[in-house]
Amino acid sequence: MSAFPEITLVRHGETAWSLSGQHTGRSDIPLTANGEAAARALAPRLDGLSVSAVWSSPSQRARNTCALAGFGEGAVIKPDLAEWDYGAYEGITTKEILSKRPGWQLFRDGCPNGEAAADVGARADRIIAELRQANTPILIFSSSHFLRVLGARWLGLPPQDGSRFILDTTSICVLGYEHDLTEPVIRRWNQK
């Protein structure tokens, strides 16, 4: 246990599109039955976690994961926690995108009519500023690509470096500090 506040991140449970690999940004896709079961299974994994606030993306997949894990009451919806806006690539798999745009990489190239990594990074930076100002343990429910950018920005890395982190559905990560509040670290990542 750290003497400094820890930020616990939870990726939402499985959806039909996370299962098929379709980019799910602003489409409000519900959890599958497996996703709901995995969200309920988060409760014992998070048992004993002491937080002063719970924040969630506005998506139903994040909000329902939060509620099924036992943290829905009092959760604060933060629009900046929304998943990457995939614009023209919403609902399309990477394989389909690459067939029309060879060499495309989300974190490098962004999405037409959607967000670039810098846009997602700016939202992550606003969340980090709020977290650092609160200076208290907080639990966050959101989506994979946003949380990957958040992890990169927590460390002071460019938003594009979120490509170096992977997140499975209902995985848990913990952001924190090492020696003092000027040394942000990732304490745990992608725990199942």
Side-chain angles (χ1 to χ4, degrees):
M1 195 61 146
S2 174
F4 304 106
E6 294 184 343
I7 309 305
T8 303
L9 310 177
V10 178
R11 182 182 174 198
H12 64 75
E14 175 190 275
T15 68
W17 283 12
S18 69
L19 190 59
S20 66
Q22 292 169 266
H23 286 88
T24 317
R26 303 305 163 89
S27 295
D28 210 9
I29 306 295
L31 298 174
T32 63
N34 286 340
E36 290 176 354
R40 281 189 289 277
L42 282 165
R45 292 172 58 206
L46 295 169
D47 188 44
L49 181 67
S50 178
V51 295
S52 61
V54 178
W55 296 353
S56 177
S57 158
S59 72
Q60 70 170 307
R61 59 192 180 272
R63 288 183 290 109
N64 290 345
T65 299
C66 176
L68 291 167
F71 293 91
E73 190 171 321
V76 176
I77 304 304
K78 297 272 187 181
D80 276 339
L81 291 173
E83 178 60 302
W84 197 306
D85 182 349
Y86 300 117
Y89 294 158
E90 182 77 8
I92 301 174
T93 66
T94 298
K95 183 179 178 181
E96 291 170 308
I97 296 165
L98 290 172
S99 73
K100 296 177 182 152
R101 190 173 169 190
W104 174 81
Q105 292 178 10
L106 173 65
F107 287 87
R108 183 191 64 209
D109 303 323
C111 301
N113 303 316
E115 289 181 304
D119 301 319
V120 182
R123 291 193 287 114
D125 287 348
R126 290 192 296 268
I127 291 294
I128 290 168
E130 285 187 69
L131 291 169
R132 293 205 169 125
Q133 183 168 358
N135 196 30
T136 187
I138 294 176
L139 174 60
I140 293 176
F141 290 83
S142 188
S143 298
S144 177
H145 287 139
F146 176 80
L147 290 174
R148 291 166 67 180
V149 171
L150 182 68
R153 295 302 299 140
W154 181 261
L155 298 175
L157 300 172
Q160 294 83 348
D161 282 357
S163 68
R164 300 175 187 274
F165 303 99
I166 198 74
L167 276 179
D168 297 320
T169 54
T170 60
S171 59
I172 299 171
C173 305
V174 179
L175 307 178
Y177 300 92
E178 190 169 12
H179 300 107
D180 59 45
L181 296 177
T182 68
E183 294 183 37
V185 296
I186 293 178
R187 300 187 64 82
R188 291 186 289 288
W189 192 263
N190 200 37
Q191 292 190 313
K192 287 297 286 177

PDB file of all heavy atoms in Angstrom, residues 44-57:
ATOM      1  N   PRO A  44     -15.812  -8.657  -5.861  1.00  0.00           N
ATOM      2  CA  PRO A  44     -14.844  -9.227  -4.913  1.00  0.00           C
ATOM      3  C   PRO A  44     -13.402  -8.804  -5.218  1.00  0.00           C
ATOM      4  O   PRO A  44     -12.572  -8.714  -4.302  1.00  0.00           O
ATOM      5  CB  PRO A  44     -15.023 -10.739  -5.051  1.00  0.00           C
ATOM      6  CG  PRO A  44     -15.754 -10.957  -6.317  1.00  0.00           C
ATOM      7  CD  PRO A  44     -16.532  -9.700  -6.583  1.00  0.00           C
ATOM      8  N   ARG A  45     -13.105  -8.524  -6.473  1.00  0.00           N
ATOM      9  CA  ARG A  45     -11.750  -8.087  -6.840  1.00  0.00           C
ATOM     10  C   ARG A  45     -11.466  -6.686  -6.309  1.00  0.00           C
ATOM     11  O   ARG A  45     -10.316  -6.330  -6.063  1.00  0.00           O
ATOM     12  CB  ARG A  45     -11.583  -8.119  -8.362  1.00  0.00           C
ATOM     13  CG  ARG A  45     -11.606  -9.535  -8.927  1.00  0.00           C
ATOM     14  CD  ARG A  45     -11.643  -9.565 -10.443  1.00  0.00           C
ATOM     15  NE  ARG A  45     -10.510  -8.872 -11.033  1.00  0.00           N
ATOM     16  CZ  ARG A  45     -10.541  -8.319 -12.244  1.00  0.00           C
ATOM     17  NH1 ARG A  45     -11.636  -8.376 -12.983  1.00  0.00           N
ATOM     18  NH2 ARG A  45      -9.480  -7.711 -12.719  1.00  0.00           N
ATOM     19  N   LEU A  46     -12.518  -5.880  -6.156  1.00  0.00           N
ATOM     20  CA  LEU A  46     -12.356  -4.513  -5.658  1.00  0.00           C
ATOM     21  C   LEU A  46     -12.728  -4.397  -4.182  1.00  0.00           C
ATOM     22  O   LEU A  46     -12.708  -3.299  -3.626  1.00  0.00           O
ATOM     23  CB  LEU A  46     -13.215  -3.548  -6.502  1.00  0.00           C
ATOM     24  CG  LEU A  46     -12.799  -3.419  -7.967  1.00  0.00           C
ATOM     25  CD1 LEU A  46     -13.864  -2.663  -8.760  1.00  0.00           C
ATOM     26  CD2 LEU A  46     -11.447  -2.748  -8.104  1.00  0.00           C
ATOM     27  N   ASP A  47     -13.073  -5.528  -3.577  1.00  0.00           N
ATOM     28  CA  ASP A  47     -13.482  -5.530  -2.175  1.00  0.00           C
ATOM     29  C   ASP A  47     -12.378  -4.943  -1.292  1.00  0.00           C
ATOM     30  O   ASP A  47     -11.205  -5.259  -1.448  1.00  0.00           O
ATOM     31  CB  ASP A  47     -13.794  -6.960  -1.722  1.00  0.00           C
ATOM     32  CG  ASP A  47     -14.409  -6.997  -0.341  1.00  0.00           C
ATOM     33  OD1 ASP A  47     -15.295  -6.166  -0.062  1.00  0.00           O
ATOM     34  OD2 ASP A  47     -13.975  -7.839   0.462  1.00  0.00           O
ATOM     35  N   GLY A  48     -12.775  -4.071  -0.416  1.00  0.00           N
ATOM     36  CA  GLY A  48     -11.811  -3.445   0.484  1.00  0.00           C
ATOM     37  C   GLY A  48     -11.169  -2.183  -0.072  1.00  0.00           C
ATOM     38  O   GLY A  48     -10.435  -1.501   0.636  1.00  0.00           O
ATOM     39  N   LEU A  49     -11.450  -1.879  -1.331  1.00  0.00           N
ATOM     40  CA  LEU A  49     -10.904  -0.658  -1.925  1.00  0.00           C
ATOM     41  C   LEU A  49     -11.574   0.547  -1.262  1.00  0.00           C
ATOM     42  O   LEU A  49     -12.795   0.641  -1.214  1.00  0.00           O
ATOM     43  CB  LEU A  49     -11.165  -0.640  -3.435  1.00  0.00           C
ATOM     44  CG  LEU A  49     -10.631   0.565  -4.204  1.00  0.00           C
ATOM     45  CD1 LEU A  49      -9.098   0.559  -4.188  1.00  0.00           C
ATOM     46  CD2 LEU A  49     -11.134   0.531  -5.642  1.00  0.00           C
ATOM     47  N   SER A  50     -10.770   1.443  -0.770  1.00  0.00           N
ATOM     48  CA  SER A  50     -11.292   2.644  -0.128  1.00  0.00           C
ATOM     49  C   SER A  50     -11.025   3.840  -1.037  1.00  0.00           C
ATOM     50  O   SER A  50      -9.870   4.166  -1.315  1.00  0.00           O
ATOM     51  CB  SER A  50     -10.598   2.841   1.221  1.00  0.00           C
ATOM     52  OG  SER A  50     -11.059   4.026   1.827  1.00  0.00           O
ATOM     53  N   VAL A  51     -12.102   4.434  -1.529  1.00  0.00           N
ATOM     54  CA  VAL A  51     -11.978   5.592  -2.418  1.00  0.00           C
ATOM     55  C   VAL A  51     -12.872   6.711  -1.917  1.00  0.00           C
ATOM     56  O   VAL A  51     -13.866   6.467  -1.229  1.00  0.00           O
ATOM     57  CB  VAL A  51     -12.329   5.243  -3.888  1.00  0.00           C
ATOM     58  CG1 VAL A  51     -11.337   4.242  -4.461  1.00  0.00           C
ATOM     59  CG2 VAL A  51     -13.744   4.726  -4.024  1.00  0.00           C
ATOM     60  N   SER A  52     -12.502   7.924  -2.285  1.00  0.00           N
ATOM     61  CA  SER A  52     -13.322   9.063  -1.875  1.00  0.00           C
ATOM     62  C   SER A  52     -14.320   9.454  -2.954  1.00  0.00           C
ATOM     63  O   SER A  52     -15.250  10.203  -2.694  1.00  0.00           O
ATOM     64  CB  SER A  52     -12.433  10.248  -1.532  1.00  0.00           C
ATOM     65  OG  SER A  52     -11.691  10.623  -2.659  1.00  0.00           O
ATOM     66  N   ALA A  53     -14.111   8.931  -4.179  1.00  0.00           N
ATOM     67  CA  ALA A  53     -15.029   9.253  -5.270  1.00  0.00           C
ATOM     68  C   ALA A  53     -14.958   8.157  -6.321  1.00  0.00           C
ATOM     69  O   ALA A  53     -13.954   7.464  -6.462  1.00  0.00           O
ATOM     70  CB  ALA A  53     -14.666  10.597  -5.896  1.00  0.00           C
ATOM     71  N   VAL A  54     -16.067   8.026  -7.066  1.00  0.00           N
ATOM     72  CA  VAL A  54     -16.143   7.105  -8.199  1.00  0.00           C
ATOM     73  C   VAL A  54     -16.560   7.934  -9.402  1.00  0.00           C
ATOM     74  O   VAL A  54     -17.555   8.661  -9.347  1.00  0.00           O
ATOM     75  CB  VAL A  54     -17.167   5.982  -7.943  1.00  0.00           C
ATOM     76  CG1 VAL A  54     -17.276   5.065  -9.154  1.00  0.00           C
ATOM     77  CG2 VAL A  54     -16.795   5.195  -6.693  1.00  0.00           C
ATOM     78  N   TRP A  55     -15.771   7.844 -10.469  1.00  0.00           N
ATOM     79  CA  TRP A  55     -16.059   8.570 -11.706  1.00  0.00           C
ATOM     80  C   TRP A  55     -16.302   7.560 -12.818  1.00  0.00           C
ATOM     81  O   TRP A  55     -15.661   6.509 -12.871  1.00  0.00           O
ATOM     82  CB  TRP A  55     -14.891   9.451 -12.111  1.00  0.00           C
ATOM     83  CG  TRP A  55     -14.555  10.557 -11.154  1.00  0.00           C
ATOM     84  CD1 TRP A  55     -15.239  10.951 -10.043  1.00  0.00           C
ATOM     85  CD2 TRP A  55     -13.413  11.425 -11.238  1.00  0.00           C
ATOM     86  NE1 TRP A  55     -14.612  12.014  -9.435  1.00  0.00           N
ATOM     87  CE2 TRP A  55     -13.476  12.317 -10.146  1.00  0.00           C
ATOM     88  CE3 TRP A  55     -12.341  11.536 -12.114  1.00  0.00           C
ATOM     89  CZ2 TRP A  55     -12.517  13.301  -9.919  1.00  0.00           C
ATOM     90  CZ3 TRP A  55     -11.382  12.510 -11.902  1.00  0.00           C
ATOM     91  CH2 TRP A  55     -11.487  13.386 -10.803  1.00  0.00           C
ATOM     92  N   SER A  56     -17.215   7.904 -13.717  1.00  0.00           N
ATOM     93  CA  SER A  56     -17.516   7.019 -14.839  1.00  0.00           C
ATOM     94  C   SER A  56     -17.653   7.803 -16.131  1.00  0.00           C
ATOM     95  O   SER A  56     -18.103   8.949 -16.138  1.00  0.00           O
ATOM     96  CB  SER A  56     -18.816   6.251 -14.582  1.00  0.00           C
ATOM     97  OG  SER A  56     -19.147   5.434 -15.692  1.00  0.00           O
ATOM     98  N   SER A  57     -17.289   7.132 -17.202  1.00  0.00           N
ATOM     99  CA  SER A  57     -17.606   7.610 -18.545  1.00  0.00           C
ATOM    100  C   SER A  57     -19.129   7.674 -18.658  1.00  0.00           C
ATOM    101  O   SER A  57     -19.834   6.939 -17.973  1.00  0.00           O
ATOM    102  CB  SER A  57     -17.043   6.608 -19.564  1.00  0.00           C
ATOM    103  OG  SER A  57     -17.704   6.701 -20.798  1.00  0.00           O
TER     104      SER A  57
END
